[in-house]
Amino acid sequence: MDLHLLRTFETVARLRSFSAAARELGYTQSAVSQQIATLETDVRTRLLDRRPVAPTPAGGRLLEHAGPLLLRAAAARADLARLVTAPGARLTVGAAPLAQPPVLAGALAAVHRTHPGVALTLRVLPAAEIPALVATGELDAGVVEAATAPTDPLPLPDLAPLASRVVLESPLVVALPTDHPLARHEWLRLADLADARWLDAPTAAVPLGRLRAVLGSDGFPPAARYAGGDPAGLLRLVAAGHGLAALPAPLVAGVPGTVAVPVTVPRLVHRVELLHAADPAPSAAALATFFE
């Protein structure tokens, strides 16, 4: 299957428009239509309804394969480019909001001292987006995080041969207001909180979907949504009684109006890891060396 045609199909299906896809891809509309027709001939079935533009059942199934295939192709291209292209004078690091411990600032400062000509950029991004950006070369390194069992790897997609190393591991705690009935407990069972009021804050706390996956439960109903990426702002909502949040212990310690109670059943930790290509640029390699 021609990846060039697959990319055109994915774009038309995503935008639900031949003309919009043509503008994004830099083609004429007739060229886009011809590419879709060629792909449909190749797979011997109709992939898109034309009015309105929408994937057919077969097109929907192909879309499930298209994203990973195109991403793997981009990752392979970036991996080869690193082998044949001289490393650039840049270090672009992506970090999730909960993956920026103070040690990261020290590591970046150390790289700047050893590679003074490198242009450093730190991008704050959702954790789920970072592995793909590292794999495709848009980021030289990424700092990701997740709640996991102490001996389990982080739940990362299989995109390319990426290397990882632990930056920080902290106990996972539940942040409660000081007047909460459970605030005096020394530890908590996650299952006992499945029906509590939670704050849905996917970029500022452990996502509720992750807690459901860990427990195998449909619980953890959101009482309110926090769309920001600042854990301090989220904890102000916790202190005001709007809901609970799961966070790494260092972020909750000493925050007025809140109490951090460890989760011990199941035992969970919040792990921060550094990702980079298997054969990284010198500046990215220097960053990784800092955490050895």
Side-chain angles (χ1 to χ4, degrees):
M1 185 178 295
D2 189 322
L3 290 176
H4 177 71
L5 301 180
L6 190 62
R7 183 174 292 104
T8 299
F9 165 69
E10 186 278 333
T11 305
V12 174
R14 172 168 47 85
L15 298 177
R16 301 296 176 100
S17 168
F18 280 76
S19 58
R23 287 193 296 272
E24 179 171 310
L25 295 169
Y27 301 142
T28 64
Q29 185 171 334
S30 61
V32 168
S33 297
Q34 182 58 50
Q35 289 175 33
I36 296 299
T38 301
L39 181 60
E40 290 177 328
T41 299
D42 180 29
V43 298
R44 301 180 181 180
T45 189
R46 192 173 182 84
L47 298 172
L48 289 168
D49 290 327
R50 268 51 173 185
R51 294 186 180 179
V53 176
T56 64
R61 182 64 59 86
L62 181 57
L63 277 175
E64 295 175 8
H65 297 279
L69 284 171
L70 292 171
L71 186 54
R72 290 291 305 209
R77 190 177 297 111
D79 207 22
L80 292 175
R82 280 187 287 264
L83 291 176
V84 300
T85 305
R90 71 159 206 181
L91 176 61
T92 303
V93 180
L98 291 184
Q100 299 179 70
V103 67
L104 177 59
L108 293 174
V111 173
H112 188 68
R113 287 194 297 272
T114 57
H115 295 73
V118 168
L120 173 64
T121 301
L122 178 62
R123 297 173 58 188
V124 180
L125 299 163
E129 297 179 9
I130 291 174
L133 295 175
V134 175
T136 58
E138 293 187 49
L139 296 175
D140 299 300
V143 190
V144 295
E145 51 80 24
T148 187
T151 57
D152 288 351
L154 290 191
L156 298 173
D158 180 19
L159 301 172
L162 299 179
S164 68
R165 63 192 66 210
V166 176
V167 172
L168 181 69
E169 191 169 281
S170 306
L172 188 73
V173 301
V174 176
L176 308 97
T178 52
D179 59 355
H180 194 278
L182 300 177
R184 295 184 181 276
H185 284 224
E186 293 184 2
W187 56 272
L188 291 170
R189 292 166 46 94
L190 194 60
D192 294 338
L193 301 171
D195 295 326
R197 289 164 47 86
W198 286 84
L199 287 165
D200 182 16
T203 58
V206 176
L208 299 185
R210 180 62 181 156
L211 298 181
R212 296 183 188 109
V214 166
L215 204 58
S217 165
D218 293 330
F220 305 98
R225 179 173 175 81
Y226 178 72
D230 179 16
L234 173 67
L235 288 170
R236 284 193 287 271
L237 294 179
V238 172
H242 292 287
L244 311 183
L247 291 153
L251 292 181
V252 188
V255 175
T258 67
V259 173
V261 182
V263 175
T264 59
V265 182
R267 184 168 173 243
L268 297 172
V269 296
H270 181 265
R271 188 179 305 131
V272 178
E273 292 188 3
L274 178 73
L275 297 180
H276 57 80
D279 187 19
S283 56
L287 179 63
T289 300
F290 185 90
F291 297 109
E292 289 181 347

